[in-house]
Amino acid sequence: MLHVDVRRRLGAFQLDVSFSVDAHAILAVHGPSGSGKTTLINLLAGLDRPDSGRIVVDGRVLFDSKSGVDVKPEKRRVGYVFQDCRLFPHMTVASNLRYGRRRGERDIDFEQVVSLLDLQALLRRRPRFLSGGEKQRVAIGRALLSSPRILLMDEPLASIDPGRKSEILPFVRLLRDAFALPIVYVSHAADEIAQVAERAIRIENGRIAAADPVRSSADQAYTETGMRLIAVIEAHDSVSGLSVLGSPLGQLYVPRRFEPPGTVLQVTLGASAVEPVAEVVSGAISVLPARMITGTRT
Ligand code: ADP
Ligand code: MG
C-alpha cells in the first residue's frame, strides 16, 4: 500500500494531494507540465520535504509531520529514475550500475538486472556512447540495484525518440513482474500510460483532478471475474458508431464515447463480456467484444 497525504508550497505553487493505492501495481501519475508531478515524486524520494502530511510505503512511515518522522533519502529504499538519466559520464555502465548497489541486505542481483534489462553488451561503454533508450535502461538498472521497496520514474521516456519508446516500455512491465516492485510512473503522455499502468491519477495545478474511482461492490464483482486496464481513446468512427481505444491488449472497439481522443479511461473487461469466437488454436486470433463499465475520465 502506498499512502500519500502531502502539502507543499513552492513560491506561488501549492501541491495538496492525498491518495492511497495498492502499491503492487504500476500507478501512473499524469497531468500537464507544471502541475506538480516532479514535486510529488521528490517528496516521496525525500529530496524535498512536505510542509505537512504523511507518506507510508508498504506499512513503513517515511514521513509524518505530526510525529516528526522524516526518513533520510538514502534510508528510504526508494529507487528514482530521473527524466535526464543522471549517469556518471566518467564511469562505465558497469560502474554506474554498481554505484547504486546496496551493501548488506540486498535482494536484487546484478546478473539478474543485467539480463533483464539487456545490458550485457553495454557494460564496458561510457554513457556518451549509449542511445537515449540504453541510458535510461542503465538508469533503471542502477535504481533497481539499490534494492528499493518502490521505484519512482519521472517521465523516463521524455527524452527518447517516440519511435524508440517500445525499447523501454516492455522492460518497465517486466520489472514489475520480475520483482513484484511497486512503481510510480510519471508521464504526460497518454499512450505510455496505457501501455504500462493499471491505475492512474491525474494532477492539475497541484490537486488531484481524477483518481481511480472507488469501485462499488457491483463493480468489484466484475473486476474480480474480469480484467481491468487503462486505455486511451485513439479515434471515433462515425460510420460504425464505435470508438477505438488503444490498450495493452491492442485496439479495443467500444460503443461511441464522447470524450475527445487522447482521454485516458479505466476499462473493465468483465468476464461475462468475453466471448471467444474462435477455437483456441495456436496463432488464431479471437475477437472479443469489449464492454466498458467504468468509463471515468482520469
Ligand atoms: P511537473 O513535474 O508536473 O511539470 P513540477 O512539480 O516540476 O511540475 O512543478 C510544479 C510547479 O512548481 C511549477 O509551477 C514550478 O514552476 C513550481 N516549482 C517547482 N520547484 C520550485 C521551486 N523550487 N521554487 C518555486 N517554484 C517551484
Ligand atoms: Mg516534471
Side-chain angles (χ1 to χ4, degrees), residues 145-210:
L145 284 166
S146 65
S147 292
R149 291 282 175 260
I150 187 167
L151 186 62
L152 311 176
M153 306 179 86
D154 190 2
E155 310 220 24
L157 304 189
S159 53
I160 292 175
D161 294 343
R164 312 202 75 158
K165 289 185 175 185
S166 58
E167 291 175 18
I168 298 284
L169 289 172
F171 289 103
V172 176
R173 288 194 299 266
L174 263 178
L175 292 185
R176 179 204 51 201
D177 299 340
F179 302 114
L181 186 65
I183 298 176
V184 179
Y185 187 96
V186 172
S187 173
H188 62 263
D191 61 326
E192 279 173 37
I193 292 169
Q195 287 185 58
V196 298
E198 287 94 7
R199 312 193 75 164
I201 56 173
R202 180 173 175 83
I203 300 189
E204 279 172 17
N205 197 18
R207 300 270 190 299
I208 291 187

Side-chain angles (χ1 to χ4, degrees), residues 10-13 31-40 154-155 186:
L10 289 168
F13 175 78
S33 180
S35 56
K37 303 182 297 296
T38 298
T39 303
L40 171 64
D154 190 2
E155 310 220 24
V186 172

Side-chain angles (χ1 to χ4, degrees), residues 28-51:
V29 176
H30 65 123
S33 180
S35 56
K37 303 182 297 296
T38 298
T39 303
L40 171 64
I41 293 292
N42 285 341
L43 295 177
L44 297 182
L47 301 183
D48 185 22
R49 181 181 298 139
D51 300 322

